[in-house]
Amino acid sequence: SPGPKIEQFTLNFTITNLRFTTDLGTPNSARFNSTKKIMQHYIDPLFKSSSISSAYTGCKVMRFRSGRDRDNTGVDAVCSYRTNDSLATFDREKVHQELSTMTNGVTKLGHYSLERNSLYVNG
């Protein structure tokens, strides 16, 4: 049988206590890079504790964007997982529910506050 394939899904959420600034929206700026590292620090453990932990290969923060309120910052990431018959299947709804639970009802990610209805997992 063929080996595992790498599949991707997107992860989006909004942080309410991270003010969006132009340098945060500029890829490879110092602020973008440091905030990206912090987001990785918080995102990776969520998936390593989820139903796809055995298949999860990582997330990459792609961009930060201005939220509806200028004080909010949207986060867009592309995440990857391996798939084959012996690995857990990706269930978007299950993963969304697990992330919701792990972020206290989509309210907390580490020291960041999340906009309650902003979590999207698209597979």
Side-chain angles (χ1 to χ4, degrees):
S1 79
K5 288 188 337 187
I6 299 295
E7 300 285 342
Q8 295 183 323
F9 63 96
T10 58
L11 174 69
N12 314 93
F13 55 90
T14 301
I15 299 171
T16 60
N17 62 338
L18 177 62
R19 184 175 183 82
F20 182 80
T21 58
T22 304
D23 59 338
L24 189 55
T26 305
N28 297 318
S29 70
R31 184 144 191 248
F32 177 93
N33 289 338
S34 65
T35 306
K36 178 178 169 179
K37 283 181 187 172
I38 293 166
M39 286 300 119
Q40 299 292 149
H41 172 78
Y42 289 125
I43 293 170
D44 281 340
L46 294 176
F47 286 104
K48 289 179 180 172
S49 299
S50 75
S51 61
I52 65 164
S53 62
S54 63
Y56 175 72
T57 59
C59 284
K60 180 177 180 182
V61 173
M62 303 303 286
R63 77 178 183 131
F64 297 103
R65 57 187 155 66
S66 178
R68 281 177 275 184
D69 177 340
R70 184 90 173 144
D71 287 339
N72 298 348
T73 297
V75 179
D76 298 329
V78 174
C79 305
S80 303
Y81 64 98
R82 291 181 309 275
T83 182
N84 71 15
D85 292 340
S86 65
L87 296 172
T89 59
F90 179 77
D91 180 334
R92 183 181 64 80
E93 290 178 14
K94 183 176 184 179
V95 170
H96 183 276
Q97 183 58 46
E98 291 170 343
L99 295 179
S100 294
T101 299
M102 288 186 265
T103 57
N104 298 326
V106 192
T107 61
K108 282 285 192 203
L109 181 64
H111 66 272
Y112 292 107
S113 297
L114 300 178
E115 186 177 290
R116 185 175 293 278
N117 294 316
S118 69
L119 178 66
Y120 292 97
V121 177
N122 299 312

